[in-house]
Amino acid sequence: MSTEVKIGINGMTCASCVSRVERSLEKNSGVASASVNLVTELATVVYDPGESDLADLLLSVTSAGYQPRKEQVEFQVRGMTCANCVATIERYLEKLPGVITVAVNFVTEKTRIEYLPEMISPARLISAIAEAGYEAIETGGDEKSGLPDRDSERNRFSRDLVVALCLTIPELLISMGSMVVPGLRQLMHSLLPEGYWHWIELVLTTPVLFYAGRRFFRQGLAEIRHLSPGMNTLVMLGSSAAYFFSVTAMIFPSIFPAGTANLYFEAAAVIITLILLGKYLEHKSKGRTSSAIRKLMQLQPETASVIRDGSTVEILLEEVIPGDQVVVRPGERVPVDGIILTGESWIDESMITGEPIPVEKTAGDEVTGGTINQTGSFTFRASRVGAETVLAQIVKMVEDAQTAKPPIQNLADRIAGVFVPVVITLAIVTFVTWSLWGPDPALNFAFVTAVSVLVIACPCAMGLATPTAIMVGTGKGAELGILFRNGAALELLANVDMAILDKTGTITRGQPELVEIRIFDGEENDILGLVASVEDRSEHPIARAIVEKARDRDLPLHPVESFESTPGFGVSAIVGGQVVQVGADRFMDRIGIDRMKSAGAAREFAEKAWTPLFVAVDSRLVAMMAVADPVKEGSRDAVSGLRKAGIDVVMLTGDNFETASAIAQETGIDSVIAGVLPEQKAVEVERARRQDRRVMFVGDGINDAPALALADVGVAIGTGTDIAIEAGDVILMSGDLRGLLKTTALARKTLRTIKLNFLWAYAYNVALIPVAAGLLFPFTGLLLNPMLAAAAMSISSLFVVSNSLRLRRFDFRDSIDSHRQEAVTQRLPESAELLGNATGSLK
């Protein structure tokens, strides 16, 4: 069947352009006609979708040298409950004429659609999503407007759950309380006849289903309408079957076989209530990933000081244009990217480089928007503003990574995709079979058995399998100092086979320390006291490290005279009548100090990638000091433990290769990727994922946010920046990397618990479905009525909850050996070769 599509085209100027585009379009297989209007800049193409698709037509326009008009819109989508919802929305939208691509993200609740504006509008897309059973809100390009309103959604779940609980608890007391409280039934009958209590049960149950559980019915009907039954369908069928069976049995009891006209209002109410509880817990555990973007945006100042007409004026950041001369004072953030014209300063660029030591900037050097000016003032020329700045690019990378569809397929929904249609089919087959060949009254037997099949297959346990395990697992994690920002991270983390670790602030402490003093002449404490007295006048981080070491030793600081700083070289001053000079090797060479006696120490410091400082007193070289960012306690143990658990470890850093190699050797890391920029970190993570590696990225800096968001699992160090913490899926509250071992062990234990839950929930129900269908009746005369089916369902749920509660006894020491063995047996034989290829290409 042919279809017609209209494509807007930019760049055409004459009739020759028209014919060129038409010829290019007509070359596609299945194109019946292609007509291009120069005035309206519109191409009308009739083609067979079975032979060509819309992407082929757009490529033909591009290859002809013109630009097809495409637009992109992003919606926040509410109401998604599982991966089946994602598939439903994607399938429905992709059928619409003019839709090019659809990407639905279940975790961030966002849908990004690329479309032809001549064919379809955002309003039509919103209505299409509503037709599929969901609610869409356009973000409109405003980041704040696009933030998922998770608090509002969670409050709606909470409100409905409270309503359901308040009605279900008395319903249970009325229907089943006599089994627990002796004499309760006699008391109830003394107050009201039994028939009245049945009507009270109906009154209590009805709002539970059709008010508190309305979302399941609305979305379940949408799933059926679009031939894509999922968990909502089972919730709807299971609860409504019990409800309508009970209503029918209460009003028309005579149509049922003797002893089968039972009421199951409590089963219907409990189904909805327990599923609401599970969904509430699941929704509560979702991460606030969009907060990362909001905090990144807050790094930009709202105003900038710009020189206009010879005077400095303060304007809004949006009003800065390329070429403006911008003035930055001490302590201010650099508003946009640019090049320094006059002045000099030290700038904290840790948000970009991840390195803690500020960088000296002078005329001609580049500065980056969002970085912090520390000491001096300077004027720079704006070169990149708005969306072109480095900070804006980082924001975009985080947003893109969060919006991209993650490679996670929820186990429950994968099974439900097969289980739900099978159960519905079995219920229909059961009804038909009993109707045609069952004993009299065949119709009643058919109805009872069909309802029993639906009730026994009710997804109560299935709905609890994941959220209960996640609830207990994340609670245990909190006790261990591990915060999981979303439940999906548990499943993903349990399957990772590569850990990419940032260096600064993750493996190392993230701040310079004085790690060694090599004395050539004099006493160590005396020399340290002299140097600290001089460096106390400096604001450089290395100077602060020296002063801090002196204070740790309770050394007194002496009065200083004639302090002088030579940027890029060193400092000098007179202390107690002695001339003290401290700085780099080039400073010693500049002032004529012989460094021969320090040659051995210099080589040793270089091998360890330490920053050397030379100390001269009265023109004599008396000491060398080494300043470094030391490795955190436990980093080596963490690397060793990860490798033993079958996880390959790679270090990724913006630092130079020599320093990175020294840290890697100290911690036992074999693979090193050094000298990477912030945007390259995310690229390296994606490259590893394309090698079919399941990647965990561990970092603490703002510059790590894109990589944290793009990795299968982002692990943020809790002692790092808030933005990294918001972007991470998992947060280690302490900076100790050994927490990674507990985290992975707990994740694997939780995933095994979830799988066992599902095995029980499905296998238990599947085993009893034949019994519910009446398979034993010809041999034993036994028929499983819906009451027993509901009881079996409750036992299944009880097992799932009890099994999940076992996670509260999780012990890291008891489980690490089994995790280690499991990781080894799960690895593919070609794992070593694959790692070599991956890290080789990364380098």
Side-chain angles (χ1 to χ4, degrees):
M1 182 189 301
S2 295
T3 186
E4 183 180 275
V5 63
K6 296 183 183 297
I7 305 172
I9 301 175
N10 295 327
M12 297 187 298
T13 59
C14 62
S16 178
C17 300
V18 171
S19 70
R20 186 180 300 119
V21 174
E22 288 179 342
R23 286 196 303 270
S24 183
L25 287 169
E26 289 170 348
K27 290 179 181 178
N28 285 282
S29 176
V31 172
S33 66
S35 175
V36 179
N37 189 309
L38 179 61
V39 177
T40 60
E41 296 184 323
L42 199 65
T44 302
V45 185
V46 178
Y47 71 104
D48 184 352
E51 298 187 39
S52 292
D53 57 26
L54 186 54
D56 295 330
L57 302 180
L58 298 177
L59 182 60
S60 295
V61 175
T62 304
S63 62
Y66 304 94
Q67 188 64 40
R69 282 198 294 271
K70 299 181 291 185
E71 291 187 8
Q72 192 175 82
V73 66
E74 188 176 89
F75 300 118
Q76 177 190 339
V77 179
R78 293 175 178 169
M80 293 189 293
T81 58
C82 62
N84 189 72
C85 300
V86 172
T88 298
I89 295 173
E90 288 181 339
R91 283 196 302 267
Y92 193 74
L93 292 177
E94 286 169 352
K95 294 177 181 178
L96 298 176
V99 172
I100 304 170
T101 60
V102 181
V104 181
N105 188 304
F106 173 56
V107 176
T108 62
E109 300 177 355
K110 287 185 178 181
T111 297
R112 180 172 292 178
I113 306 167
E114 191 176 35
Y115 65 98
L116 298 178
E118 284 77 16
M119 293 288 294
I120 196 168
S121 66
R124 175 66 186 103
L125 294 170
I126 290 176
S127 66
I129 293 174
E131 291 168 8
Y134 307 90
E135 179 186 2
I137 301 173
E138 186 174 355
T139 63
D142 179 2
E143 190 56 52
K144 292 183 180 180
S145 69
L147 299 179
D149 189 3
R150 298 191 187 277
D151 289 340
S152 176
E153 183 73 6
R154 187 169 63 247
N155 290 339
R156 284 194 290 270
F157 269 105
S158 177
R159 182 180 62 246
D160 292 340
L161 178 60
V162 169
V163 171
L165 284 171
C166 290
L167 296 173
T168 300
I169 291 174
E171 160 65 21
L172 285 173
L173 287 175
I174 294 172
S175 61
M176 304 181 71
S178 59
M179 301 179 185
V180 180
V181 182
L184 180 61
R185 182 170 295 277
Q186 290 78 3
L187 176 61
M188 290 170 55
H189 288 171
S190 67
L191 297 174
L192 288 173
E194 185 174 5
Y196 284 92
W197 289 109
H198 293 166
W199 282 101
I200 292 175
E201 288 187 59
L202 173 63
V203 171
L204 290 172
T205 304
T206 300
V208 174
L209 264 69
F210 303 111
Y211 175 74
R214 63 194 180 281
R215 57 173 51 83
F216 303 120
F217 284 79
R218 183 178 64 248
Q219 294 167 8
L221 290 171
E223 289 173 356
I224 292 175
R225 186 167 64 250
H226 298 297
L227 302 179
S228 180
M231 295 295 288
N232 291 304
T233 305
L234 276 185
V235 173
M236 179 185 68
L237 291 178
S239 59
S240 60
Y243 176 83
F244 288 111
F245 178 89
S246 302
V247 171
T248 306
M250 184 179 72
I251 300 176
F252 307 108
S254 60
I255 69 173
F256 293 89
T260 63
N262 298 302
L263 304 186
Y264 308 111
F265 287 120
E266 78 285 351
V270 167
I271 290 168
I272 294 296
T273 303
L274 289 179
I275 297 297
L276 273 175
L277 175 61
K279 290 300 178 184
Y280 170 76
L281 296 173
E282 187 177 22
H283 192 87
K284 190 176 181 180
S285 70
K286 286 185 177 179
R288 299 186 303 274
T289 51
S290 298
S291 299
I293 297 176
R294 182 164 49 240
K295 291 191 176 184
L296 280 170
M297 295 300 294
Q298 290 173 354
L299 291 178
Q300 286 186 321
E302 296 182 355
T303 61
S305 298
V306 178
I307 299 177
R308 296 275 174 89
D309 299 326
S311 60
T312 302
V313 295
E314 189 168 303
I315 64 174
L316 293 175
L317 186 66
E318 294 79 7
E319 298 175 4
V320 178
I321 60 175
D324 273 341
Q325 293 187 21
V326 185
V327 179
V328 182
R329 302 177 183 88
E332 293 182 342
R333 286 191 181 273
V334 179
V336 295
D337 299 355
I339 299 175
I340 293 181
L341 298 174
T342 60
E344 59 184 33
S345 182
W346 291 86
I347 295 181
D348 180 359
E349 293 188 330
S350 58
M351 62 155 283
I352 300 298
T353 64
E355 302 305 318
I357 300 176
V359 180
E360 183 183 12
K361 298 288 186 177
T362 59
D365 291 336
E366 291 188 1
V367 291
T368 304
T371 56
I372 303 174
N373 180 36
Q374 290 199 332
T375 54
S377 298
F378 60 89
T379 301
F380 73 95
R381 181 190 298 111
S383 60
R384 293 185 297 270
V385 301
E388 301 300 321
T389 63
V390 171
L391 180 58
Q393 293 300 314
I394 291 178
V395 171
K396 185 177 185 301
M397 282 188 288
V398 175
E399 183 182 27
D400 289 345
Q402 291 179 342
T403 305
K405 187 177 180 180
I408 179 174
Q409 296 294 326
N410 187 277
L411 182 61
D413 300 304
R414 289 202 299 271
I415 299 175
V418 177
F419 185 78
V420 176
V422 168
V423 169
I424 295 173
T425 302
L426 287 175
I428 296 173
V429 170
T430 299
F431 184 87
V432 172
T433 302
W434 278 93
S435 298
L436 296 177
W437 296 291
D440 291 330
L443 184 62
N444 289 352
F445 278 109
F447 186 75
V448 170
T449 52
V451 171
S452 295
V453 168
L454 288 173
V455 173
I456 199 71
C458 173
C460 184
M462 305 171 198
L464 290 172
T466 297
T468 53
I470 288 177
M471 178 182 68
V472 180
T474 52
K476 186 63 180 180
E479 294 179 14
L480 299 173
I482 305 161
L483 297 182
F484 293 92
R485 190 160 295 283
N486 59 69
L490 275 167
E491 179 181 354
L492 291 168
L493 186 59
N495 293 315
V496 297
D497 57 17
M498 176 181 282
I500 299 180
L501 311 181
D502 178 54
K503 180 182 75 68
T504 305
T506 302
I507 297 175
T508 64
R509 295 181 183 175
Q511 56 186 14
E513 292 184 8
L514 181 60
V515 293
E516 187 165 333
I517 303 175
R518 192 69 56 87
I519 300 298
F520 305 125
D521 186 4
E523 294 294 328
E524 181 174 311
N525 282 345
D526 293 341
I527 294 174
L528 178 58
L530 291 174
V531 175
S533 300
V534 176
E535 296 288 9
D536 190 43
R537 295 289 188 93
S538 173
E539 293 297 322
H540 195 285
I542 290 180
R544 292 197 291 269
I546 294 173
V547 173
E548 187 66 29
K549 178 65 72 172
R551 288 173 177 166
D552 289 344
R553 296 187 182 184
D554 295 325
L555 301 179
L557 300 184
H558 311 291
V560 174
E561 301 175 7
S562 304
F563 176 83
E564 182 180 350
S565 174
T566 306
F569 287 85
V571 295
S572 62
I574 298 177
V575 183
Q578 301 179 89
V579 179
V580 180
Q581 297 163 308
V582 185
D585 52 359
R586 55 183 176 274
F587 187 45
M588 297 295 107
D589 296 339
R590 182 173 181 174
I591 61 180
I593 302 296
D594 184 7
R595 295 188 292 112
M596 286 296 295
K597 66 174 70 175
S598 68
R603 283 193 300 271
E604 184 179 338
F605 289 1
E607 290 173 357
K608 296 181 178 180
W610 291 346
T611 300
L613 287 177
F614 296 82
V615 181
V617 177
D618 292 335
S619 300
R620 302 185 329 274
L621 184 66
V622 298
M624 272 187 72
M625 294 183 174
V627 177
D629 182 10
V631 171
K632 290 180 181 178
E633 181 183 359
S635 291
R636 184 176 182 85
D637 292 339
V639 172
S640 175
L642 288 172
R643 294 177 64 177
K644 289 178 180 178
I647 300 174
D648 299 314
V649 183
V650 178
M651 184 169 73
L652 187 65
T653 178
D655 210 340
N656 62 70
F657 186 77
E658 289 74 17
T659 301
S661 297
I663 297 297
Q665 183 176 3
E666 184 177 351
T667 54
I669 297 175
D670 294 328
S671 301
V672 177
I673 309 168
V676 294
L677 298 175
E679 61 270 19
Q680 292 175 317
K681 289 188 176 183
V683 170
E684 303 294 2
V685 169
E686 179 61 26
R687 188 177 297 171
R689 291 180 62 193
R690 285 200 300 268
Q691 297 285 335
D692 293 327
R693 306 310 299 268
R694 294 181 291 272
V695 179
M696 167 176 61
F697 182 86
V698 187
D700 76 320
I702 295 172
N703 60 302
D704 297 327
L708 284 166
L710 190 61
D712 293 301
V713 181
V715 180
I717 303 299
T719 53
T721 64
D722 290 340
I723 292 162
I725 292 173
E726 291 293 344
D729 303 301
V730 183
I731 299 116
L732 299 183
M733 295 302 291
S734 71
D736 194 335
L737 277 186
R738 285 174 292 197
L740 288 175
L741 305 181
K742 298 178 182 178
T743 306
T744 53
L746 177 60
R748 291 174 176 178
K749 179 74 171 179
T750 304
L751 181 59
R752 283 204 303 273
T753 299
I754 292 173
K755 288 181 177 179
L756 183 57
N757 284 349
F758 280 128
L759 176 63
W760 177 266
Y762 285 100
Y764 189 87
N765 288 345
V766 167
L768 288 180
I769 283 176
V771 179
L775 186 64
L776 299 180
F777 184 81
F779 310 103
T780 64
L782 296 177
L783 193 66
L784 182 66
N785 62 40
M787 187 66 175
L788 294 178
M793 176 204 69
S794 300
I795 294 173
S796 178
S797 301
L798 180 62
F799 174 87
V800 166
V801 174
S802 301
N803 186 51
S804 298
L805 290 175
R806 292 171 58 243
L807 285 169
R808 298 171 64 179
R809 300 193 298 272
F810 168 80
D811 191 312
F812 167 68
R813 293 167 298 179
D814 294 339
S815 61
I816 187 61
D817 290 334
S818 63
H819 297 331
R820 182 183 307 165
Q821 182 63 35
E822 175 189 340
V824 172
T825 57
Q826 285 182 345
R827 298 299 299 276
L828 297 174
E830 63 272 18
S831 177
E833 180 182 354
L834 184 60
L835 174 63
N837 295 337
T839 56
S841 63
L842 289 174
K843 293 179 183 177

